[in-house]
Amino acid sequence: MTKPLSLQVVVELGQFEQKKQQSWSHENETNIQDPIIVWWSLLTGEPGRLSQCGADTCFFTMKRNYQNHEMTKAFLFYGTDFPINSLPLPRQAQHEWALFHEESPKNNYKLFHEPTITLFNYTATFSRNSHMPLTTQYLESIEALKSQQYLTPLSEKNRLRDKLAPLVYVQSDCDPPSDRDSYIRELMKYIQVDSYGECLHNKDLPAHLRDPTTMDNDGFHKILAQYKFILAFENAVCDDYITEKFWRPLKLGVVPVYYGSSNIADWLPSNRSAILVRNFSHPKDLAEYIMRLDRDDRDYEAFLEWKWKGTISNDDLLTAMRERKWGVQDITQDNYIDAFECMVCNHVWQNIRRKQKMLPPVLWRAEANHLSCPAPEAFTFSPPLAGWDALRDLWVPSFQQSRREATALRSLVDRNQNFTTEMFWKMVFKH
């Protein structure tokens, strides 16, 4: 069954539809002179469209009957809907494959292994190593990061501590591969945490904010902004997999207590702007540190100094945002789907021109680090906490199974023939 698109993709697709260019009529199908690029995953719903990518023009379509058209040069795939039983095989020499995958590994673990990711020529993933990195996909702009719209004075936060915990947690995706609920359940033994979501729920949001779709609601943001610390735990642990859980506290003027990407320090707005869970050997140690900051206004304010001053000292973050060729929720810029399409279109044209000049093509290939995550691991507290069952019984076996699936898929694709779901599973069990 096809998984639903992420909310972020839905938003960007809405902009994509607003910015569609020249539509294509049926009678023109046999007269296409520009490279054809086929969305093999039904992401855009576009039957046919000529798009201008700088000086280059390509024809984008979701119609699979273009598979063997002489002008077809590339196939685009959306990772969450990667159709293993209906791939465009046999793959001709001029056919390139491109992967767009911005979501958690738990949506399609098999893509996160070298045999599968290296099937593609081009990648747009959350990894900074991909051809079009989507690492900052949840950050609208540097201005949004520096905005003081929701910044609550420390005196007000201290006053509200009579009715609010120092920490807030809001999650309704319980017991994911990161095992975050196990950690926070243990943390709750040593410090008060207000948990508004379904996971470890102990406090109710106002009735009008209980729908998950209100997570970007102004009223919800105002509630979170009253807290001193937000538990920002990703649902999976991968380098550069950074979601709104990290950026939202920073935008609201709250200190994130972060667990997820091991290289998160590369993306901090300043050296002292987040508390990193990995720096503490046990939740008790983390709780004691947060309680000390809660009592010490000067030390706490040091974590928000960058916000008060509106100064970001991380040159790498500034450069990444400045050089990003797409925007987030900004109709004045290409969204990341447009940019992905044009990246492929431009590279296809690059090799067409090289061929015209009798030059060898530039070979684009995905590498293992374009989409790679370690196996899920449970937190090892004593005694083991509930939630470990989900990791042990679901996520660890799923990851191990996905490794076999990746190897089987690669074996079948390398045969360059169509194959059935039954053939795929036979190959999986063989491995």
Side-chain angles (χ1 to χ4, degrees), residues 11-195:
V11 170
E12 301 300 343
L13 277 174
Q15 296 177 16
F16 176 94
E17 292 299 324
Q18 293 178 36
K19 297 173 66 178
K20 283 194 300 188
Q21 301 180 40
Q22 182 180 339
S23 60
W24 199 257
S25 60
H26 177 74
E27 57 268 22
N28 290 327
E29 289 185 355
T30 59
N31 300 319
I32 300 174
Q33 301 299 314
D34 294 293
I36 297 172
I37 298 177
V38 180
W39 269 103
W40 203 253
S41 299
L42 304 182
L43 182 62
T44 67
E46 183 62 71
R49 167 179 47 88
L50 274 176
S51 277
Q52 198 71 30
C53 296
D56 301 326
T57 304
C58 288
F59 179 73
F60 294 93
T61 180
M62 68 171 188
K63 297 175 70 172
R64 293 186 175 186
N65 60 344
Y66 283 100
Q67 178 180 351
N68 296 312
H69 193 289
E70 63 179 1
M71 293 303 296
T72 296
K73 303 297 183 182
F75 296 90
L76 310 183
F77 301 91
Y78 180 51
T80 301
D81 184 26
F82 183 62
I84 61 170
N85 60 339
S86 60
L87 295 172
L89 297 171
R91 185 174 178 177
Q92 300 177 30
Q94 74 272 22
H95 288 171
E96 295 183 306
W97 289 9
L99 175 69
F100 182 97
H101 191 51
E102 89 295 8
E103 290 209 310
S104 169
K106 72 190 188 79
N107 285 20
N108 197 341
Y109 261 133
K110 71 175 69 64
L111 293 172
F112 288 74
H113 301 288
E114 184 172 2
T116 305
I117 187 62
T118 53
L119 286 170
F120 301 97
N121 301 92
Y122 310 108
T123 57
T125 77
F126 56 72
S127 171
R128 74 182 75 183
N129 299 306
S130 70
H131 294 122
M132 194 185 99
L134 303 173
T135 317
T136 58
Q137 61 179 304
Y138 290 96
L139 179 58
E140 301 96 308
S141 63
I142 290 296
E143 290 68 30
L145 198 58
K146 294 193 294 185
S147 170
Q148 298 188 7
Q149 177 183 357
Y150 296 100
L151 194 56
T152 303
L154 181 56
S155 58
E156 177 68 5
K157 291 190 179 190
N158 284 335
R159 186 185 68 79
L160 289 167
R161 281 287 287 105
D162 291 338
K163 61 179 182 179
L164 299 180
L167 282 161
V168 62
Y169 183 56
V170 187
Q171 288 300 329
S172 294
D173 177 15
C174 305
D175 296 322
S178 65
D179 200 28
R180 62 189 174 199
D181 293 333
S182 291
Y183 189 98
I184 291 162
R185 189 181 288 107
E186 179 74 5
L187 182 68
M188 285 175 161
K189 296 178 181 179
Y190 309 102
I191 190 171
Q192 184 183 0
V193 177
D194 286 344
S195 182

Side-chain angles (χ1 to χ4, degrees), residues 200-219:
L200 307 176
H201 179 88
N202 62 17
K203 197 176 181 90
D204 293 332
L205 285 166
H208 69 286
L209 294 176
R210 291 174 191 171
D211 188 317
T213 61
T214 63
M215 295 289 278
D216 286 323
N217 182 282
D218 183 70

